[in-house]
Amino acid sequence: TAAVPIYTRHPYAMAQQALSTQAATGGRLALGIGTAHPSVVEQMWGLSYARPFSYMQEYVAVLRSLIETGAVDYQGQEFRVKGTLTVPGTTPCPILIAALGTKMLALAGGAAAGTSGAARPEQVAACGTPIGHAGRPNRCEQPVPDPRHADSK
């Protein structure tokens, strides 16, 4: 699986890149996004990792609006974005969130098409939100069993 770190790419730019890739691949893109690790975001990139959940929540709201409708008018604490986006010959692509914690997993199930990551089955079950709910198809990748844990088989 792969996830593009969201802190290094504005959601408008991410939508442009995703829709262009979706058009170039004939509709085969499943866009994986993630927050990255705090040490990378803060120490390497020099950005704040103070509110990763709210940052991802707003990021997905902007990104999803642009990918699904081609327009956004969003005013939040993290983002203020207004614009339109047209990429000829494309269709919306599913957005997958690399998630491990229960809040991020719930966001993946509620605001995105699912999760793409190493979440264990019990973590997914604990989030309380079925992945792929609200009528969106379940494009969630199954968690890969961790051979270091006997209970993951």
Side-chain angles (χ1 to χ4, degrees):
T1 61
V4 180
I6 62 173
Y7 283 94
T8 57
R9 199 169 275 103
H10 191 276
Y12 191 95
M14 181 78 79
Q16 288 176 308
Q17 293 169 332
L19 289 173
S20 294
T21 302
Q22 179 76 334
T25 62
R28 295 188 311 265
L29 176 69
L31 177 61
I33 59 174
T35 57
H37 297 283
S39 60
V40 172
V41 174
E42 293 180 331
Q43 295 169 14
M44 187 183 295
W45 299 332
L47 302 170
S48 172
Y49 198 82
R51 295 183 303 269
F53 177 76
S54 66
Y55 194 91
M56 177 64 84
Q57 190 174 35
E58 291 192 18
Y59 193 98
V60 169
V62 172
L63 180 65
R64 188 171 153 206
S65 181
L66 284 164
I67 286 176
E68 292 181 359
T69 70
V72 66
D73 187 356
Y74 186 88
Q75 302 296 315
Q77 290 184 338
E78 306 289 342
F79 294 99
R80 287 150 300 286
V81 185
K82 184 175 184 172
T84 59
L85 177 60
T86 303
V87 177
T90 194
T91 57
C93 62
I95 301 167
L96 303 172
I97 298 174
L100 291 174
T102 55
K103 285 173 55 177
M104 207 66 85
L105 284 165
L107 181 63
T115 186
S116 149
R120 297 174 41 80
E122 61 270 18
Q123 291 171 301
V124 173
C127 79
T129 302
I131 303 299
H133 93 169
R136 286 182 290 285
N138 183 357
R139 292 188 175 94
C140 173
E141 296 183 72
Q142 294 299 315
V144 176
D146 186 344
R148 296 173 296 177
H149 301 286
D151 64 339
S152 67
K153 294 179 180 164

